[in-house]
Amino acid sequence: MENKRKAGPTGAAENDDRAAKRRKVPRPPHEYDLMKGESPESTTAYGLAFLETIRRTKDKSGRLVASYFENLVPREKNKDYYARIRMPISLKIIERKLVNQDFANMSELESFFKRMVTNAKEYYPKSSEIFEDAERVRKALSNYMTKTNPAYKLIAGYSCTAAPIPDDLGPGELAADAEGGEEAAESEDDAEGDEEEDEGEDEGEEDDDDEDDGNPRKIILKRRGSTNGVKSGPDSARKRDRSGRVKADHEFEGVPYRGLNFQHAQEKIVEELIRKPDEDGGPYFLDFINLPPRSFKDYFAVITSPLSLKGLQKLVKGIHGRQAATGISDFKSWAAFEEKASLLWTNAHFYNEDGSEIHTLATELRAAFYAELNAAKAVVQEPPQQPKIKLKVGSGQETPVLGAKKITIHVGGSKGSVTGSPAPPNNRRESGPLPQQGPITTAASFQLDKSMSLSAAGSPSPSVVAPGPPNTVPRPNGHVPGPMAMMNGQHNYPGPYQGLQNGHPPPAPAPAPPPPLWDNLYRAAGRGIADSLLPSVLVRTHPTVPQDRRFRMEIPADSKLAQQSVTFHLPASHSRLQLIPRLASFEQQGRQYKLMVQINGQMVGRATPIPVPDDPLPPNAMVFDLGLTLGTNIIVVTVVASLPKGQKLENGASAEVERLTMNVHLTRIY
């Protein structure tokens, strides 16, 4: 094929001119300081950088997450889409607007990305792969914009919304404009790639010939239709995507547990929980499918073993990290599978307030899990467990042979020699030389008798102690160590061999681990009352309780203690209290935090603020209503907060905890 750019010198010059304009490279983002001001040029630089990032973003299985958003869906095959989505947007359209410098600032750019994500979430069901990809794009956009968009730092509580749809926009008008802009972007890309297309044309023709001859598409479709040996009934009953593959989490839809093996039964249980629909057709347990974003540092500081349904599904399929699935579950018994799955609801019950929506949903998840588990256990047997071998390890000491035997022990550096009396031969292994005790020179001869008890530390009776020089160290009670004690290396007398175990020094004790985050009674080094997470807590009689004399107490933070405890008594007429904690300015510091209020072990939710005329509430106050019972009531206020980005405490922790415990005794006296 003849290259179009070789048509003539005039055409070549014009093409080179247009190419030069298109290839105008914007300045790199780091050359702009957005805090000093934004411009279309700076927005284009940062926007193109994010486009490159999102196009390369992959999920844990290595699949690109933004492929669907690259171009608009074809109009002729998706008329319903364009009837419902009045403002369709693709990455190509955003890229064209960036090149044309149509975005004045980062907020406008972010709003267009959010409109693209909103379109996908409004049209596709929550259980679809495109909906999940839209959520991944949203998270990537949020992480990028909160760091680069200056509006988040300059405006308190700023939140960007999707680009609004013009009121006078007719159905399909913007869609047609969008398609035109997308086609223009594609045509320019094609013009820039003419040379590459010409060079690779012959190879493309060869590939087409192979595809026509071998017809690999039919083979691929046949492989995708297989079910790995699972009998699932009619193939038409299973939902498939546009390429003909079985949709994710629909592998065992409509398949009974009877006939499944242990591996497939576990996969079906998790799949049923993920696929369980709500009234709108979306996933009922949507909040449990994936873990919360990593930006919620307080959640991961409190929950030490987080788990989601997708995480449980990976363990069942044998997926670890980015490696391919092995198809072998990590759980070899129903009990192990049940124990791991229980983290789904126990974590939610521990972190969320009692009676909250998530707390209630976690209880429903537990009921749904056990319904599926019991149905599976009734017809699917777990594989036989390997027998456990118990090894009974003895003390490693030989049992002495009791009998009349005369033993002579020579201790110390005595120059003389002591010869032991003859003894009848036996098969016992003779012990090696005993350690010497320095200046002690004592020779002792004693008789072992059959009636001697070995439990008495082996001290002979009677014992004969030979007189020694003046520097001889006396033994307790005038006795030398027994023969069994000395043969085992157990020396109770002072000296260089004290504390030896079987002739070797004991191992050094391991250093004590640092206390858990919740057990830190004192503030970290360098932290004072100015760094308090909970500067004060106000407790007062509830405004609805008619009282002439009202109770009011404000408890300030301590300069050294991170955990305080106070006790006070109240009459029965003050059985309702109002608790108002005053927190540090976490939003201004860019810190994630979690406030928890408990009374007698039960989480307490926020209440509607009720002002008191002579005791006004502080701005944006958080109010909690507390109902006391007769006797002692334990009220606990806990704040967990992450440190600002890039900071850590001296012990390496990236979060800190502050807690106030109030022991309130409600008397029977009014």
Side-chain angles (χ1 to χ4, degrees), residues 378-454:
V379 294
V380 180
Q381 298 295 325
E382 64 183 22
Q385 304 297 314
Q386 295 293 334
K388 296 181 180 179
I389 302 175
K390 294 183 179 180
L391 298 177
K392 187 176 182 181
V393 182
S395 61
Q397 300 178 356
E398 296 182 2
T399 303
V401 179
L402 299 180
K405 180 179 180 181
K406 188 174 182 180
I407 302 176
T408 302
I409 300 177
H410 181 199
V411 182
S414 175
K415 296 182 180 179
S417 61
V418 181
T419 304
S421 59
N426 55 39
N427 296 327
R428 287 187 57 199
R429 184 183 62 179
E430 297 296 335
S431 61
L434 297 175
Q436 297 182 356
Q437 181 61 23
I440 303 176
T441 56
T442 304
S445 300
F446 43 85
Q447 184 77 19
L448 278 178
D449 188 70
K450 291 184 179 180
S451 61
M452 186 186 68
S453 173
L454 293 178

Side-chain angles (χ1 to χ4, degrees), residues 228-251:
N228 298 327
V230 180
K231 299 178 181 180
S232 57
D235 191 61
S236 59
R238 306 172 69 188
K239 295 184 179 180
R240 299 180 179 275
D241 57 16
R242 296 178 180 177
S243 62
R245 296 177 298 178
V246 177
K247 282 190 174 182
D249 304 319
H250 287 77
E251 185 72 23

Side-chain angles (χ1 to χ4, degrees), residues 397 407-412 428 431-438 440-446 448 454 456-460 463-465 475-476 479-494 497 500-504:
Q397 300 178 356
I407 302 176
T408 302
I409 300 177
H410 181 199
V411 182
R428 287 187 57 199
S431 61
L434 297 175
Q436 297 182 356
Q437 181 61 23
I440 303 176
T441 56
T442 304
S445 300
F446 43 85
L448 278 178
L454 293 178
S459 298
S463 62
V464 180
V465 181
R475 303 295 193 274
H479 295 285
V480 298
M484 296 305 298
M486 297 189 69
M487 290 171 65
N488 290 331
Q490 299 173 357
H491 303 282
N492 296 324
Y493 49 84
Y497 297 99
L500 294 182
Q501 297 180 0
N502 295 327
H504 299 282

Side-chain angles (χ1 to χ4, degrees), residues 19 29 132 148 197 237 252 290 308 330 375 397 416 418 420 480:
E132 294 181 356
T148 57
E197 182 180 350
F252 297 94
N290 296 298
S308 65
D330 289 7
Q397 300 178 356
V418 181
V480 298

